[in-house]
Amino acid sequence: MSALGTVNTSQRLKALRDLMAKPEYNVQAVVIPTEDQHFSEYIAQCDERRAYISGFTGSAGTAIVTSEDAFLFTDGRYYLQASKQLDQNWTLMKQGLPDVPTWQDFLSKNLGDHIRIGVDPTLIAASDADGIQKSLEPKQSELVSLQENLVDLVWPDRPPRPANKVFVLDTKYAGASLQDKIKRVREELDKKKARAIVVNMLDEVAWLFNLRGSDIDYNPVFFAYALIDHDKALLFVNEAQLDADVRKHLGSDVEVHPYDTFFSYLTRLGAELSAHKDSKVLVSDKASLAVAEAIGKDHITVVRSPVTDLKAIKNEVEVEGFRQSHIRDGAALVRYFAWLEEQLNSGKELSESQVADQLEKYRSEQDLFKGLSFPTISATGPNGAIIHYDPDPNDCAIVKKDQIYLCDSGAQFADGTTDVTRTYHFGTPTAEEKRAFTRVLQGHIAIDIAVFPNGTTGADPFARRPLWEDGLDYRHGTGHGVGHFLNVHEGPHGIGVRIVYNNTPLKPGMTVSNEPGYYADGRFGIRIENIVIVREAQTPNNFGDKGYLRFEHVTMCPIGKNLIDESLLSAREREWLNAYHAEILQKVSPLVEKDERALRWLQRECSPL
């Protein structure tokens, strides 16, 4: 299957529907989410059930298969990709558009009465399941927890679950010991008067124990659950993945248990809580229905995970790691774009995938490099309008000098995670392309220079205002949190219209992307993305004694000047761009001084407007 080709799902759907009709299951619909049992955004191949059954490979979406129909729900980032990948069996449901229900509402509003809807209880959030069940009651329909995943049963060559070596992240990079982190989690238990907390998100487990792995591509995590109470810290993991160094690191502070004993442990804990009417167990709002059912719904309190909040605020060691890793990453990017320009000028024919491989090579030569942080979006011309485009090495476009080229890429370093988008034109851009690019740049600058009071959540319109002036917009958030040598997308905070973003004020130490864009379907795409860190701002006044915040950018890569319509820039915007380019030149030059081509390119691209 090419990156955006369709796959015939007729036989897969028939096999699934035959199972659904069997007496031991007897369900008229099944829900197939993207997530794994840990609610990971990026998942291992063995967990790509929604992609297998639908043919749609984007990172967000939910499939609902009924006895007669099949529906795929996804958001604006993936409308174009899904429309190309889904075959005739599927109806694309464009979430976010008027009159398109969420998949949760669809179950109660669009399916008939007396329907049994099958779910794998390890793959649906307990909070979602409760809401859906209540909405189904008037139709006398019900959610049914299936003991087996039906897609697994019809997937003949499903890959095995990875079990790669786990390794220790030194405190010199983490900035805090696992003992410090467990102590802080126990302080949260005290505040909430809770007996224990279940930690089910893989990046939270990795952060908590200062461990990393490679069970999921691009994400330095490993399959594990944790449970912390006032006396014990338990790690449920495939023990074959732990070597002597990891065992020594965990020491007597952490009890290790087999991964597949996690649910039986929760069941025993639930029985104990029933007997003693003890205080409750904190369960994340991203924990599964299976977790809630194992402990017992009367014995849990569903909250946003305190671990996610602790992890989101980077300590000063992590912040410095972000700065340094982005300077090294900038050197790799400068070498790459200088190389790419030379190749295109000499008439070389190179595919989107081939050039992305060259970028990875330059990154891999940097100190502390551990891998990419997501598949590189290397997109020429119309492919740039596909927001999460992933070029297929066997079937992708040739990069053309006379088209806009969008590159969204990132790396994992031991001291930080990078995510950067640059949009360049190596020929002569049109007036329309320049105006759109400049509007995106103005939105990017507006976020970068923003000063705002503590408690602020709604910075998103800052980035959109210049685009709105031209009647333009984009169908994605303006920013997402970023992990520290962890997942490139991290909650709970961000800049956008999602409810969780607007319930989560930005705080000093949070890392977030700044990435407005514009996408002309079928023609070109533009995005400019830096990582910024929330810092305290020094203001002449302090109205309301709130304290004020600002952003510090850490991404170090020039912004394409030939795409800028200078007549649209204000004096302050021009001043910002020149200062940013001077900063890049100063920080990145020493790292590329042995590459004359890169140094020349950097000096030219960083010269003042």
Side-chain angles (χ1 to χ4, degrees):
M1 181 176 99
S2 78
L4 292 178
T6 56
V7 59
N8 186 331
T9 61
S10 300
Q11 287 306 114
R12 298 173 186 188
L13 287 168
K14 180 183 184 302
L16 181 62
R17 288 177 176 132
D18 288 349
L19 266 189
M20 289 162 60
K22 284 193 167 183
E24 59 264 43
Y25 303 118
N26 182 27
V27 289
Q28 292 75 54
V30 289
V31 177
I32 305 144
T34 298
E35 293 80 10
D36 62 12
Q37 65 271 36
H38 299 274
F39 288 77
S40 310
E41 179 186 7
Y42 292 97
I43 54 179
Q45 289 181 338
C46 60
D47 292 318
E48 291 176 354
R49 300 175 178 93
R50 190 225 61 222
Y52 174 77
I53 204 69
S54 70
F56 165 64
T57 60
S59 72
T62 299
I64 295 176
V65 177
T66 70
S67 307
E68 304 291 332
D69 299 299
F71 303 89
L72 189 283
F73 293 76
T74 193
D75 62 49
R77 294 172 295 168
Y78 292 111
Y79 294 168
L80 206 52
Q81 181 178 335
S83 67
K84 293 186 178 205
Q85 289 188 313
L86 295 174
D87 72 359
Q88 75 286 352
N89 292 296
W90 290 83
T91 300
L92 173 59
M93 306 294 283
K94 296 182 177 180
Q95 284 194 184
L97 294 189
D99 306 321
V100 177
T102 62
W103 68 264
Q104 294 95 330
D105 285 345
F106 180 88
L107 295 175
S108 58
K109 292 177 179 170
N110 295 63
L111 299 184
D113 297 352
H114 307 286
I115 300 277
R116 283 168 52 87
I117 299 163
V119 293
D120 177 339
T122 69
L123 302 183
I124 186 168
S127 48
D128 261 343
D130 282 349
I132 292 166
Q133 189 58 61
K134 286 190 180 74
S135 68
L136 291 173
E137 283 167 6
K139 303 191 100 174
Q140 294 181 289
S141 293
E142 62 175 324
L143 274 189
V144 179
S145 287
L146 300 170
Q147 294 313 299
E148 297 173 287
N149 188 294
L150 301 191
V151 175
D152 291 354
L153 298 178
V154 302
W155 186 354
D157 49 358
R158 181 172 169 241
R161 183 161 302 287
N164 299 322
K165 185 173 178 287
V166 174
F167 57 95
V168 177
L169 181 67
D170 197 297
T171 310
K172 72 181 178 186
Y173 301 123
S177 68
L178 71 88
Q179 292 84 359
D180 290 338
K181 292 177 178 182
I182 291 169
K183 179 169 175 280
R184 291 170 71 196
V185 171
R186 287 183 174 138
E187 286 166 2
E188 294 296 321
L189 292 181
D190 287 337
K191 281 183 206 167
K192 294 182 168 60
K193 297 184 168 51
R195 160 78 181 265
I197 179 172
V198 173
V199 185
N200 66 288
M201 301 284 285
L202 299 183
D203 61 335
E204 293 183 18
V205 175
W207 176 85
L208 184 58
F209 296 113
N210 284 350
L211 295 173
R212 298 294 186 269
S214 60
D215 284 352
I216 295 181
D217 290 345
Y218 311 104
N219 298 262
V221 297
F222 54 96
F223 284 102
Y225 292 97
L227 186 138
I228 310 292
D229 65 19
H230 293 279
D231 307 309
K232 299 189 297 295
L234 281 65
L235 175 63
F236 296 85
V237 64
N238 177 344
E239 294 182 76
Q241 294 179 253
L242 310 185
D243 66 11
D245 288 344
V246 173
R247 296 266 184 187
K248 183 181 175 190
H249 166 75
L250 295 174
S252 59
D253 296 290
V254 181
E255 286 182 24
V256 177
H257 294 260
Y259 181 75
D260 54 14
T261 63
F262 173 66
F263 284 103
S264 56
Y265 184 92
L266 293 188
T267 304
R268 291 198 304 277
L269 177 62
E272 197 181 306
L273 293 170
S274 290
H276 296 99
K277 298 286 182 264
D278 209 337
S279 53
K280 298 196 175 188
V281 174
L282 297 182
V283 167
S284 161
D285 54 8
K286 291 201 170 105
S288 68
L289 176 60
V291 168
E293 288 179 338
I295 304 172
K297 291 183 182 178
D298 293 341
H299 306 312
I300 63 171
T301 303
V302 177
V303 294
R304 186 168 81 207
S305 169
V307 181
T308 231
D309 288 333
L310 293 170
K311 175 170 58 66
I313 296 173
K314 310 297 182 275
N315 60 49
E316 285 305 314
V317 171
E318 292 172 312
V319 166
E320 185 58 25
F322 266 96
R323 292 186 188 113
Q324 296 304 322
S325 58
H326 278 82
I327 293 170
R328 297 194 305 278
D329 201 53
L333 288 159
V334 165
R335 293 186 68 197
Y336 168 63
F337 289 122
W339 168 85
L340 178 58
E341 181 181 83
E342 185 176 273
Q343 299 300 304
L344 295 176
N345 284 341
S346 68
K348 284 267 178 67
E349 281 213 347
L350 294 163
S351 74
E352 295 162 320
S353 175
Q354 285 174 310
V355 300
D357 289 345
Q358 182 66 30
L359 173 54
E360 182 173 359
K361 177 179 178 291
Y362 285 135
R363 277 200 164 106
S364 70
E365 294 167 5
Q366 298 298 321
D367 287 346
L368 304 181
F369 175 80
K370 300 293 184 184
L372 300 185
S373 55
F374 57 96
T376 297
I377 300 169
S378 171
T380 189
N383 292 336
I386 301 167
I387 294 167
H388 278 200
Y389 176 72
D390 183 7
D392 182 338
N394 303 311
D395 179 19
C396 62
I398 299 297
V399 179
K400 295 185 177 65
K401 183 178 174 177
D402 61 353
Q403 291 182 331
I404 279 186
Y405 174 67
L406 185 154
C407 183
D408 185 346
S409 65
Q412 296 287 5
F413 296 98
D415 56 348
T417 298
T418 72
D419 179 4
V420 50
T421 310
R422 287 297 180 264
T423 306
Y424 291 114
H425 199 303
F426 297 102
T428 306
T430 65
E432 179 197 8
E433 288 167 340
K434 289 177 73 168
R435 187 175 183 96
F437 181 90
T438 308
R439 290 308 195 196
V440 172
L441 173 60
Q442 289 174 305
H444 179 93
I445 294 170
I447 293 286
D448 192 278
I449 65 175
V451 175
F452 48 94
N454 266 305
T456 298
T457 58
D460 188 69
F462 289 6
R464 296 182 195 267
R465 186 194 59 77
L467 286 153
W468 289 344
E469 285 183 23
D470 279 11
L472 305 177
D473 207 346
Y474 50 95
R475 288 194 184 105
H476 59 73
T478 297
H480 56 81
V482 181
H484 176 265
F485 184 26
L486 269 176
N487 298 359
V488 73
H489 290 170
E490 171 177 278
H493 60 288
I495 302 170
V497 294
R498 290 191 202 174
I499 292 168
V500 65
Y501 289 170
N502 292 315
N503 288 343
T504 311
L506 295 172
K507 293 177 181 170
M510 285 180 166
T511 43
V512 66
S513 65
N514 169 12
E515 53 179 310
Y518 172 67
Y519 310 91
D521 285 356
R523 295 189 298 131
F524 62 85
I526 295 164
R527 186 160 63 253
I528 303 170
E529 177 185 20
N530 283 358
I531 301 306
V532 296
I533 301 169
V534 184
R535 309 301 278 166
E536 289 179 357
Q538 300 305 313
T539 51
N541 302 291
N542 185 15
F543 182 81
D545 289 327
K546 283 183 167 184
Y548 286 73
L549 303 173
R550 62 178 177 87
F551 294 117
E552 172 195 343
H553 53 246
V554 291
T555 305
M556 292 289 134
C557 184
I559 290 168
K561 290 186 300 188
N562 72 332
L563 274 162
I564 297 171
D565 179 345
E566 292 186 39
S567 70
L568 295 174
L569 293 183
S570 69
R572 189 174 184 195
E573 288 163 343
R574 179 187 291 263
E575 185 185 308
W576 178 91
L577 189 71
N578 287 338
Y580 178 54
H581 280 158
E583 181 187 2
I584 294 168
L585 186 62
Q586 183 232 326
K587 290 180 175 174
V588 176
S589 294
L591 278 68
V592 297
E593 60 189 6
K594 291 180 181 162
D595 182 337
E596 287 182 25
R597 176 180 57 205
L599 188 59
R600 280 196 311 272
W601 186 88
L602 178 64
Q603 288 166 341
R604 186 193 76 207
E605 291 298 312
C606 290
S607 63
L609 280 182

